[in-house]
Amino acid sequence: MRSFTYERANDIAAATQAASQPGASYIAGGTNLLDLMKVDVERPRHLVDISRLPLRDVVETPDGGLSIGALVSNAGLAADSRVRRRYPVLAQALLAGASAQLRNQATTAGNLLQRTRCPYFYDVSMPCNKRQPGSGCSALGGYNRMHAILGASDACIAVHPSDMAVAMTALQAEVEIHTPSDTTRRTPIAELHRLPGQTPEHDTTLAPGELITAVILPPPPPGRQIYRKVRDRASFAFALVSLAAILDVRDGKVQTARLAMGGVAHKPWTPKTAERALVGAAAQADSFKEAGQAAVHNAVGRPHTAFKIALAQRLVMRTLGDLAAGG
């Protein structure tokens, strides 16, 4: 591990000022950053510790939603009775991630900002455009079973690893951001993460020094909610394909549908074509099959990832069927 300097921020404004300097990074739970520092992928020259900032509360909003502080732990959020009752898709996604020990330490904002688990990104001996822009993407011609089938580019086929981000995308959450100029802005969570394009080194739309202070959940949407994660083993494994689904069925027809997919793209993927196909359709197998096909209609499979296309299609179809049947 390389040497670095350290400071503990006493307030939000001081934290953003310190972190806006070249080579500075925030640290809270450290469950991803410290691992990356140990393998020489992340090389911060200065760490700004925000773990003591007053951002650990989950509070009701006037419209009936929730404001989740950036430092609320994954375990604490999953156990919150309001989340479990009103946003079960989020509680399920949180419990599907990592291990109990990591969930105790990991924070809400840190979960959103964790970096890809692509093995070539972690291996500093291998070319990686995300780690070293312009060096190439080793995953394109390598073993890429865990990689993207949607929204990828010739510069990067890595996927975003967060389960929580997928559920929050389906819930249409907003992210509250404090800037180094001491102002606050909100952005839809769907606009927080980026597709790789030709600049895969930029994971998000955050500017240097900007700090996520809260995630705002709108009032619970109508219908049933579920998070499903297909992975190689039952725990502590990242998604091959995952799905956050919210389906409102009345009188045998789909009134509203929200879908977000994980494990398939550089950001949580919202298959808008599939959502539109569902609205007004009969809640039956043919409609759900059509939605599954629409969800992956632009997918690109490679020798090791082609299986994900059929897997994602079946996951959408089966999950929607179970929700419509009352599962």
Side-chain angles (χ1 to χ4, degrees), residues 94-184:
L94 286 162
L95 293 173
S99 65
Q101 294 91 335
L102 286 172
R103 292 195 297 269
N104 285 335
Q105 184 72 9
T107 64
T108 296
N111 187 299
L112 294 177
L113 298 178
Q114 63 183 299
R115 307 206 71 187
T116 183
R117 265 45 179 203
C118 172
Y120 300 105
F121 173 68
Y122 270 72
D123 185 350
V124 295
S125 69
M126 301 296 292
C128 172
N129 288 321
K130 181 177 283 294
R131 180 172 19 84
Q132 185 179 355
S135 63
C137 176
S138 297
L140 281 172
Y143 186 63
N144 48 39
R145 182 171 178 268
M146 299 293 292
H147 288 65
I149 56 173
L150 290 162
S153 70
D154 58 2
C156 182
I157 58 171
V159 299
H160 193 269
S162 173
D163 293 290
M164 185 188 75
V166 178
M168 286 184 168
T169 299
L171 290 168
Q172 298 180 356
E174 290 187 317
V175 180
E176 183 179 270
I177 300 164
H178 199 93
T179 73
S181 59
D182 205 23
T183 60
T184 301

Side-chain angles (χ1 to χ4, degrees), residues 31 44 86 91 118 162 173 187-188 218 242:
T31 57
R86 291 151 55 181
C118 172
S162 173
T187 187
S242 65

Side-chain angles (χ1 to χ4, degrees), residues 3-305:
S3 62
F4 55 90
T5 54
Y6 167 89
E7 71 172 284
R8 178 176 290 161
N10 295 317
D11 58 64
I12 293 172
T16 56
Q17 282 295 313
S20 65
Q21 303 306 309
S25 294
Y26 291 117
I27 186 168
T31 57
N32 187 210
L33 177 61
L34 292 178
D35 284 345
L36 291 171
M37 290 173 65
K38 289 175 182 177
V39 296
D40 208 27
V41 172
E42 292 281 1
R43 303 173 180 180
R45 298 195 296 271
H46 184 64
L47 289 183
V48 182
D49 185 349
I50 58 172
S51 62
R52 302 296 179 89
L53 296 181
L55 302 173
R56 294 187 179 275
D57 295 324
V58 180
V59 299
E60 300 274 352
T61 59
D63 63 355
L66 291 177
S67 175
I68 303 163
L71 297 179
V72 174
S73 72
N74 287 180
L77 187 57
D80 189 288
S81 61
R82 295 162 295 182
V83 173
R84 294 171 63 187
R85 184 175 67 255
R86 291 151 55 181
Y87 306 96
V89 66
L90 177 56
Q92 292 163 10
L94 286 162
L95 293 173
S99 65
Q101 294 91 335
L102 286 172
R103 292 195 297 269
N104 285 335
Q105 184 72 9
T107 64
T108 296
N111 187 299
L112 294 177
L113 298 178
Q114 63 183 299
R115 307 206 71 187
T116 183
R117 265 45 179 203
C118 172
Y120 300 105
F121 173 68
Y122 270 72
D123 185 350
V124 295
S125 69
M126 301 296 292
C128 172
N129 288 321
K130 181 177 283 294
R131 180 172 19 84
Q132 185 179 355
S135 63
C137 176
S138 297
L140 281 172
Y143 186 63
N144 48 39
R145 182 171 178 268
M146 299 293 292
H147 288 65
I149 56 173
L150 290 162
S153 70
D154 58 2
C156 182
I157 58 171
V159 299
H160 193 269
S162 173
D163 293 290
M164 185 188 75
V166 178
M168 286 184 168
T169 299
L171 290 168
Q172 298 180 356
E174 290 187 317
V175 180
E176 183 179 270
I177 300 164
H178 199 93
T179 73
S181 59
D182 205 23
T183 60
T184 301
R185 65 183 177 90
R186 284 190 186 182
T187 187
I189 197 168
E191 298 176 12
L192 174 65
H193 301 100
R194 300 177 64 257
L195 291 177
Q198 296 305 306
T199 55
E201 67 273 20
H202 299 300
D203 291 340
T204 72
T205 55
L206 294 177
E210 289 191 327
L211 175 67
I212 294 176
T213 53
V215 176
I216 313 300
L217 294 179
R224 296 188 175 94
Q225 308 175 18
I226 195 170
Y227 184 76
R228 283 202 169 146
K229 180 177 181 179
V230 181
R231 47 188 165 174
D232 285 328
R233 59 179 186 268
S235 65
F236 203 15
F238 295 98
L240 291 168
V241 179
S242 65
L243 176 67
I246 305 171
L247 191 71
D248 183 23
V249 176
R250 303 176 202 171
D251 300 323
K253 289 189 177 295
V254 177
Q255 304 299 309
T256 59
R258 297 187 191 178
L259 305 174
M261 302 168 69
V264 297
H266 197 259
K267 60 181 289 184
W269 186 265
T270 304
K272 292 295 185 183
T273 303
E275 290 180 340
R276 288 192 293 267
L278 284 166
V279 176
Q284 58 188 27
D286 288 346
S287 300
F288 302 145
K289 181 178 180 180
E290 180 182 346
Q293 293 169 340
V296 295
H297 76 285
N298 285 328
V300 175
R302 293 173 173 81
H304 301 299
T305 61

Side-chain angles (χ1 to χ4, degrees), residues 224 226 228 247 288 316-327:
R224 296 188 175 94
I226 195 170
R228 283 202 169 146
L247 191 71
F288 302 145
V316 171
M317 181 173 62
R318 179 174 174 180
T319 301
L320 292 173
D322 288 348
L323 284 175

